[in-house]
């Protein structure tokens, strides 16, 4: 594939996997750098690469693929019974 130094809004949307309309919105809000030639809007490929590079985590720990999104508060430990949490209204009730 021929790599151009600038992309059309449609090409940039495809690279970013965004809709064309949302990509135009990003340009209008100044969140996606662009170069205007008359009515033509071009997105520098380097700007897209910089945005993607800056958004990648640098030292985020890898998620355990077997956890299915559970965090530590939802993980059960064998032999340990969970106690229900008490709300402020529970203190007024007698057991």
């Amino acid at each position: 594939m021929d790599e151009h130094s600038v992309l059309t809004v449609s090409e940039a949307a495809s690279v970013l996997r965004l809709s064309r309309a949302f990509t135009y919105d990003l340009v209008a809000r100044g969140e996606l750098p662009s170069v205007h030639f008359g009515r033509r809007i071009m997105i520098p490929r380097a700007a897209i690469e910089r945005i993607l590079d800056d958004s990648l985590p640098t030292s985020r720990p890898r998620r355990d693929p077997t956890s299915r999104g559970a965090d530590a508060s939802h993980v059960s430990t064998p032999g340990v019974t969970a106690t229900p949490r008490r709300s402020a209204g529970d203190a007024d009730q007698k057991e």
Side-chain angles (χ1 to χ4, degrees), residues 14-86:
S14 178
V15 168
L16 295 169
R17 294 186 173 179
L18 300 172
S19 73
R20 195 175 74 136
F22 186 68
T23 305
Y24 272 110
D25 288 343
L26 292 174
V27 169
R29 293 191 307 234
E31 294 181 42
L32 185 59
S34 61
V35 179
H36 297 254
F37 298 104
R39 294 183 59 195
R40 184 134 184 152
I41 300 172
M42 303 301 287
I43 313 297
R45 181 178 292 276
I48 292 174
E49 291 171 357
R50 190 170 40 253
I51 289 169
L52 294 175
D53 288 344
D54 291 347
S55 68
L56 293 175
T58 54
S59 62
R60 188 171 135 198
R62 296 182 63 102
R63 187 176 73 86
D64 180 8
T66 60
S67 69
R68 295 186 177 194
D71 61 11
S73 66
H74 294 87
V75 176
S76 62
T77 305
V80 176
T81 305
T83 55
R85 294 184 184 187
R86 304 184 102 190

